[in-house]
Amino acid sequence: MSDTGLFGPGSMTWRVNREGVLLLGGGRALVLQVAHPLVAAGVAEHSNYRDDPWGRLYRTLDLTTKIVFGSTETAKEAADRIWQVHGRVHGETREAGGRYPAGTPYEARDPELLMWVHATLVDTAMLVYTRYVGKLTIAEQHAYYEEQKLLGEQFGVPSDRQPDTFTDFNDYVRDMLAGDRIAVTDALRDVVDATLRPELPFVARPLVAALNLVTVGMLPQRVRRELEVAWTPGRERLLEASRVVISRLLPVLPRIMRDFPPARNADRRVERLAAPA
């Protein structure tokens, strides 16, 4: 069965999440996710992040785009796949972090952990979009968040475990970043090291350096400070200069160069559905 999917054309989700520039926020989202000690333990024990630091993030991205841009059937299959994978991720922490002592049990299906991972994706997507693509009105921001609550449910976060409004969501993210459920652990440091300094050919180093600039520059000050990642006024100016260049370039690029391929596939699916009418 083919249909427009869970969101469809005209939704804020299709408008925001179709932009390929959101990939610039991948490193930020990953670091923030693993800043939760229980998420960090799951990543450290159940993934090959050292050999493939971006693999987990982009596997998540692949399934997320299927939920966002796929048909209802495709979205359900992707959501089921995420739930199955999470079912294999459980254990006990090997180190203390924040409010969690060593030996704290964790499981990836825990709504608290799923909510935090989902929140990092939503918060990062909005941050990158408004920095590089364009501003969103308050009404558009609220509409986007309301739609993202449906996406959160596909990840396994019950609606009653999600912040009720966009204002509540912002309060939740702020409280998380200020509280003791976020902490720097050895697992986080290792993930950050693997993310910022991947083993790639020499020719790829300029690209890595550019991505690292964006990743570090968009991290909350507390996380950056506690990770002891260097950040200077000069790097801040360089980040802003790169932002200006990219934001001016995007409007003149053809959609085929801007959009995620699943978004273009979704557009074609909608066109085919509309053709008989």
Side-chain angles (χ1 to χ4, degrees), residues 24-40:
L24 290 178
R28 177 188 191 266
L30 177 61
V31 172
L32 290 183
Q33 289 167 20
V34 186
H36 193 303
L38 302 190
V39 176

Side-chain angles (χ1 to χ4, degrees), residues 37-38 93 95-102 180-185:
L38 302 190
T93 59
E95 60 175 324
R99 69 166 62 180
Y100 307 102
D180 60 359
R181 284 182 287 180
I182 295 299
V184 172
T185 60

